[in-house]
Amino acid sequence: VIHIRNGVAIHGGVGTLPPDQMTAEMEAAYRETLAASLGAGRAALDEGGHALDAVQAAIEVMEDSPLFNAGRGSNLDERGWATMDASVMSGETLEAGAVAGVTDVRNPIALARLVLGASPHLMLIGAGAEAFARRQGVEVTPNEWFRTERRERQLAEAKARDSSRPAEVLGDTVARDKAGTVGAVALDAEGRLAAGTSTGGMANKTWGRVGDSPIIGAGSYAGARCAVSCTGWGEYFIRNAAAYDVHARMAYGGRRLSEAAHEVIFDTLHTQIPESGGLVAIDAEGHVELCFSTPGMYRGWVDEHGDIQLRIARDD
Ligand code: ASP
């Protein structure tokens, strides 16, 4: 059991590279970015920041990296566009902000945070979210900036594969396409919890498809008990209200965080669709859980001393 006084836990998705593609160079690059993300989250807390600040700072580092499926390096939809989803939530106040289907906002998590703080609403989508971003002065960039050669190639592969299969197995591409949705949870020195998630969604997704990541209760949830960020086959996480279910099992079922997380990932999701995904979570006492049904999940945490721990494969 991981137990910290305060800190941040992150994931960079469950689509870890298979051993034959995980060169020492690639692994070093992933570890460097995960460490930078945790360092940014830690710095936000050390500056007296709110748990929400730590979550946003940690996620922005991974959004800016082309390695992960969020921000730059997002998976591409059927048109070849990066269309991104993100959400953030405060466990203290239950305030939340979310955006879906944005195409030109450099850091979708920053925009979700502004929806939380500077709009009377909880979720904005598409062109309206982008207009809000401009009014807020958020950095925007052409869609080409998000697209990488690796994701173009994965889109072409997904198109070839999906055309020979019925639509309902499209989600099979989550693990195959090395998805790398990113997320973070934090507990700050004042005992406040927060969660956030950001993604480009699934490769070759239908234009307009929204996954679990921007849906409060599905991809992200924070309440009095715990904060949770999920990654995996989004449709299943939405159906099962996965992030909320972890919190509910603690609140109503008296479960410990690790029990609640394992019940959701293994007893619920994994029985419906094998290797459906994973999550990171932290509870109000500082217990950290990193739980997944896939061969690996990019993940890590940082404690109150700034000590950073990173893991990728299941038995790291
Ligand atoms: N959950 C994300 C989605 O369905 C994908 C992922 O986590 O890899 O959009």
Side-chain angles (χ1 to χ4, degrees):
V1 179
I2 304 160
H3 195 192
I4 64 178
R5 192 178 290 273
N6 62 71
V8 184
I10 58 169
H11 68 76
V14 284
T16 50
L17 287 174
D20 61 314
Q21 287 176 42
M22 184 59 94
T23 58
E25 216 172 35
M26 280 304 266
E27 182 165 345
Y30 275 103
R31 285 182 179 272
E32 195 182 310
T33 309
L34 292 169
S37 164
L38 287 167
R42 183 68 253 171
L45 293 181
D46 290 343
E47 286 155 18
H50 192 285
L52 283 166
D53 299 318
V55 162
Q56 180 181 343
I59 288 178
E60 284 184 359
V61 170
M62 294 187 283
E63 286 181 335
D64 284 343
S65 162
L67 294 173
F68 299 97
N69 170 25
R72 183 145 188 264
S74 280
N75 272 334
L76 304 176
D77 71 13
E78 61 183 354
R79 304 167 306 161
W81 278 64
T83 52
M84 298 163 285
D85 305 332
S87 66
V88 65
M89 184 169 194
S90 160
E92 183 192 28
T93 62
L94 303 188
E95 288 172 300
V99 295
V102 298
T103 62
D104 65 2
V105 175
R106 174 168 170 171
N107 291 109
I109 196 69
L111 187 59
R113 179 75 189 277
L114 281 166
V115 174
L116 183 159
S119 101
H121 306 299
L122 190 148
M123 182 183 245
L124 297 177
I125 64 165
E130 290 164 1
F132 174 75
R134 280 168 175 75
R135 290 199 297 276
Q136 293 294 323
V138 163
E139 186 176 349
V140 295
T141 178
N143 198 258
E144 289 73 31
W145 184 79
F146 299 100
R147 305 181 197 165
T148 62
E149 192 254 321
R150 177 182 173 199
R151 299 302 183 197
E152 308 262 4
R153 197 174 59 240
Q154 286 171 348
L155 174 63
E157 286 163 12
K159 275 189 187 290
R161 200 169 54 230
D162 293 343
S163 66
S164 62
R165 278 211 303 245
E168 63 267 24
V169 296
L170 189 66
D172 194 16
T173 57
V174 168
R176 284 161 173 263
D177 290 333
K178 322 296 176 272
T181 291
V182 306
V185 294
L187 173 66
D188 67 25
E190 315 294 325
R192 296 172 299 209
L193 291 162
T197 310
S198 180
T199 190
M202 286 160 39
N204 200 27
K205 65 185 180 183
T206 301
W207 177 23
R209 181 262 188 188
V210 176
D212 59 313
S213 306
I215 311 239
I216 294 302
S220 299
Y221 191 77
R225 305 297 178 116
C226 65
V228 184
S229 171
C230 300
T231 173
W233 189 346
E235 281 72 7
Y236 283 83
F237 283 77
I238 298 172
R239 278 176 203 157
N240 290 288
Y244 180 73
D245 196 26
V246 174
H247 190 278
R249 284 169 193 268
M250 292 184 74
Y252 310 138
R255 300 290 196 279
R256 292 193 299 267
L257 178 68
S258 61
E259 295 170 328
H262 279 81
E263 286 172 11
V264 170
I265 293 299
F266 290 99
D267 301 351
T268 304
L269 289 158
H270 189 61
T271 58
Q272 293 173 15
I273 176 83
E275 303 197 359
S276 29
L279 59 81
V280 295
I282 188 165
D283 71 13
E285 277 79 55
H287 297 106
V288 174
E289 188 59 36
L290 310 106
C291 176
F292 51 100
S293 58
T294 46
M297 178 170 80
Y298 299 110
R299 62 200 188 277
W301 68 96
V302 60
D303 68 10
E304 62 277 13
H305 307 296
D307 184 22
I308 288 176
Q309 297 286 333
L310 303 174
R311 308 276 189 272
I312 298 178
R314 165 156 299 287
D315 34 61
D316 270 355

